[in-house]
DNA sequence: TTGTAAGCGTTATCAA
DNA sequence: TTGATAACGCTTACAA
């Protein structure tokens, strides 16, 4: 293995000088700088970050823990993290927790052992207690976490509550009043927030809440499919179905169609996320765009600032990104050509 | 920072003993073993893999370079790699090359610097020359690479050639003879193989090749969309469209529908890949299942064996996984209720 | 079975 | 501006 020692020998300078050149320090005479580069080329020297990491205690690696890779939402978000990380010279370990607390914990331990400089944790399953402890030993940014419960934690989210408000407003605009809701898991702030927003929206229009119009899925399209079938079997069939994410919405759309109803002529279906795939179903899915990629970018930027030693003022510790309606084809007026 | 030195002090043993305990060496007396574990707990000791890596020259990290995260094909494959890697105690750096040679090269360099033990490279853009050199300095497994050009390289693939043969046979079975083909990029063995298989299939049925029935996409649904529109504008509209991957097929389906034709009643559309999303379009996409996850698993297993120092015999260096037809709703008989 | 000490490839301090 | 040298936290002979 070629080390800076070899480079130093060949270049005829000290290893300190080589190290300085490699780290872009200004203090090296041009002449020596060139000698070093020449030797590097000549020897095919490969810089060893492991050694550097041991000495400097920084690996330029970060860990990114995502709940699942099955929902394209997370790869898109991960992409934002990765792109931004690369710009800053960081490499990312991508880990799937499968929404399991145990796996999440294991990965955190592994990442800590690997000496990552920071961790970005999406939709954490760990307890507040654990996260707080983790936060005290490593730079941490958490997504979809209720920052009001812990001001210390750095958080990034897109506004699930507002997303549902926007979605409901669109549905109201299209004259829907019988709106069913496929909620996600009641384990995250966004899960709760969306549910709450659904209730509030109904209230604001004086529409009474019907428990048979609410069901819970696990964010998979299959759960959306199963649950939507039940909605359609109801005595008073809803005229619109809103799902907490696009995957469930697409499942619901399939279910509605499989039961012989048309989307959106008979039943409108709407999702939340704005994944690319929503454009490919028929009809294409009307949804609320969550800035996934941007959440990833923001998460890394925040982490980067922590790593740079910046003290983030209280009011900058919690980033919330806006969502916006993305109207496509799956929502139509409630009273248009209805079979029901 | 708590080191094994501290653990040794607290446990009242030597650091060598601590190291042995931590590495599960049998040679330590039970009594000491327990003392060490107690001290580890008491001190909240975090094992430092960086130090270990420097000494042992193995990081238990691998790099996985994928062409894109936009096509769910690759996340699914990546998942196979990750799961299998985790079982073996490895962590994976996931990198997106965006199908750009430059980016791929950069990532390879970064991974090398990070001291990964091995690299899995999907759909490489690098030259054979470069890959050969890379292979000589690090454990390497390459996907979608023509192993006949270089027996040394370890390769894993799913059989694109056979996939198209199977797809064409299905279409023939459904009485199609006017079959258009959306080819992928002619840069990879699978790209070439699929094209070749299309030609051979036609030949075997004595159907003459029409150049206007062949177009090239870049694997994105948009390219499939654009290209399919041209097919539909042709004087003799094809009765079936086969795309080299599911994303393009789904785009093609959208295009066909947007031009007022029904799928599959007027035009059948078929893809290759078997991505989960194919179930969610309407009609659901008939396709050829490529064992993505299994390719990932196989790739890591092969890499793992190289890392374990096994000498892989020539005939085990090239793994090719079988594909199979996954019939869904987008292919029907050529002469059924046709408008054209 | 255990302890001691050299060394992995860098960085950083200090003196020159 | 440079060179020499002691760390960094672990593993691994080798000696005890």
């Amino acid at each position: 293995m070629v080390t800076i020692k070899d480079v130093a020998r060949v270049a005829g300078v000290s290893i300190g000088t080589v190290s300085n050149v490699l780290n872009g320090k200004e203090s090296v005479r041009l002449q020596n700088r060139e000698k070093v580069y020449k030797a590097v080329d000549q020897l095919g020297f490969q810089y060893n970050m492991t050694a550097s990491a041991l000495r400097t205690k920084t690996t330029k690696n970060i860990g990114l823990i995502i709940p699942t890779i099955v929902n394209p939402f997370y790869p898109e978000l991960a992409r934002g993290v990765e792109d931004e990380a690369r710009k800053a010279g960081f490499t990312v370990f991508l880990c799937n927790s499968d929404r399991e607390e145990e796996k999440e914990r294991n990965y955190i331990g592994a990442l800590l052992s690997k000496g990552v400089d920071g961790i970005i944790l999406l939709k954490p399953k760990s307890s507040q207690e654990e996260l707080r402890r983790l936060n005290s030993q490593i730079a941490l940014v958490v997504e979809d976490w209720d920052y009001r419960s812990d001001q210390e934690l750095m958080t990034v989210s897109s506004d699930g509550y507002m997303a549902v408000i926007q979605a409901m407003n669109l549905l109201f605009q299209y004259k829907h009043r019988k709106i069913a809701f496929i909620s996600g898991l009641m384990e995250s702030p966004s899960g709760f927030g969306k549910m709450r927003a659904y209730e509030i929206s109904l209230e604001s229009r004086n529409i009474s809440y019907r428990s048979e119009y609410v069901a819970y899925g696990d964010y998979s399209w299959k759960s959306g499919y199963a649950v939507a079938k039940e909605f359609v079997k109801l005595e008073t069939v809803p005229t619109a179905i809103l799902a907490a994410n696009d995957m469930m919405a697409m499942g619901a759309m399939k279910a509605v169609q499989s039961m012989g109803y048309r989307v959106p002529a008979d039943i409108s279906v709407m999702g939340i996320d704005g994944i690319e795939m929503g454009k490919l179903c028929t009809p294409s899915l009307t949804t609320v765009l969550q800035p996934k990629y941007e959440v990833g970018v923001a998460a890394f930027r925040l982490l980067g600032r922590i790593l740079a030693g910046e003290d983030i003022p209280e009011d900058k510790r919690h980033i919330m990104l806006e969502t916006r309606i993305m109207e496509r084809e799956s929502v139509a007026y409630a009273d248009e050509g209805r079979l029901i």
Side-chain angles (χ1 to χ4, degrees), chain A:
Chain A
M1 179 181 244
V2 182
T3 73
I4 56 170
K5 220 166 174 171
D6 302 310
V7 174
R9 192 171 30 75
V10 170
V13 298
S14 74
I15 60 173
T17 300
V18 175
S19 175
N20 284 333
V21 170
L22 262 22
N23 287 289
K25 296 268 199 313
E26 295 297 328
S27 65
V28 182
R29 221 190 312 161
L30 183 63
Q31 191 190 337
N32 282 334
R33 196 181 296 275
E34 281 169 350
K35 278 198 233 166
V36 167
Y37 284 130
K38 195 170 295 171
V40 163
D41 275 356
Q42 188 185 321
L43 297 171
F45 166 77
Q46 257 290 346
Y47 182 79
N48 184 327
M49 289 203 61
T50 305
S52 164
L54 178 60
R55 187 61 231 248
T56 62
K57 304 205 174 315
T58 123
T59 55
K60 286 282 195 174
N61 292 158
I62 64 161
L64 172 62
I65 302 180
I66 68 177
T68 171
I69 208 162
V70 172
N71 182 341
F73 185 88
Y74 293 104
E76 288 186 42
L77 197 163
R79 187 56 194 282
V81 173
E82 194 211 341
D83 282 354
E84 201 62 19
R86 192 164 37 83
K87 281 189 210 157
F90 283 78
T91 313
V92 0
F93 284 116
L94 184 67
C95 316
N96 272 285
S97 71
D98 281 328
R99 306 188 197 277
E100 286 171 28
E101 189 171 346
E102 186 59 20
K103 247 181 168 176
E104 178 174 308
R105 211 194 318 276
N106 284 341
Y107 268 126
I108 290 173
L111 290 172
L112 251 23
S113 248
K114 298 279 183 185
V116 292
D117 297 340
I119 293 178
I120 295 175
L121 182 50
L122 310 185
K123 265 200 186 266
K125 285 281 187 178
S126 299
S127 69
Q128 175 166 340
E129 169 71 19
E130 284 174 298
L131 290 183
R132 191 173 298 179
R133 195 168 37 221
L134 184 60
N135 189 48
S136 70
Q137 53 181 305
I138 195 171
L140 180 68
V141 169
V142 169
E143 184 253 14
D144 197 358
W145 177 259
D146 186 1
Y147 63 88
R148 282 158 305 195
S149 70
D150 194 334
Q151 293 288 335
E152 285 302 311
L153 246 43
M154 308 284 166
T155 65
V156 174
S157 315
S158 71
D159 197 339
Y161 180 90
M162 274 308 295
V164 168
I165 298 284
Q166 291 169 333
M168 292 294 282
N169 282 148
L170 186 80
L171 293 172
F172 289 140
Q173 199 177 304
Y174 278 96
K175 307 296 184 200
H176 292 278
R177 293 182 63 82
K178 288 178 288 189
I179 303 171
F181 182 57
I182 306 179
S183 167
L185 305 169
M186 285 291 106
E187 291 176 342
S188 67
S190 71
F192 278 111
K194 286 173 183 171
M195 188 67 227
R196 185 85 193 105
Y198 170 73
E199 293 164 0
I200 296 268
S201 292
L202 290 180
E203 226 171 84
S204 73
R205 304 276 166 153
N206 289 314
I207 300 173
S208 59
Y209 176 96
R210 301 178 177 211
S211 61
E212 71 270 27
Y213 277 4
V214 174
Y216 297 83
D218 62 2
Y219 299 117
S220 70
W221 70 265
K222 282 182 187 173
S223 69
Y225 186 90
V227 145
K229 281 211 158 173
E230 299 307 314
F231 286 150
V232 176
K233 288 181 197 155
L234 251 29
E235 197 163 344
T236 314
V237 181
T239 63
I241 298 174
L242 172 64
N245 78 345
D246 280 356
M247 294 294 282
M248 293 195 292
M250 287 166 80
M253 199 149 95
K254 266 305 208 195
V256 167
Q257 292 169 333
S258 78
M259 309 270 290
Y261 291 96
R262 293 164 301 163
V263 176
D266 303 321
I267 299 178
S268 290
V269 174
M270 185 162 179
I272 290 172
D273 272 359
I275 59 177
E276 190 69 10
M277 290 296 162
K279 293 179 188 163
L280 290 176
C281 51
T282 305
S284 59
L285 186 68
T286 293
T287 185
V288 184
L289 184 73
Q290 304 217 57
K292 303 160 279 295
Y293 184 89
E294 290 74 14
V295 171
V297 168
F300 182 83
R301 288 218 179 121
L302 193 51
L303 193 70
R305 295 177 58 189
I306 304 171
L307 292 178
E310 264 186 67
D311 186 43
I312 320 287
E314 290 250 338
D315 63 322
K316 304 271 186 191
R317 288 190 191 154
H318 312 292
I319 298 175
M320 178 76 92
L321 297 181
E322 302 291 313
T323 58
R324 66 184 169 74
I325 288 286
M326 178 159 261
E327 213 175 329
R328 293 197 286 237
E329 304 165 349
S330 68
V331 170
Y333 277 98
D335 48 1
E336 196 181 279
R338 186 153 309 284
L339 287 179
I340 304 169

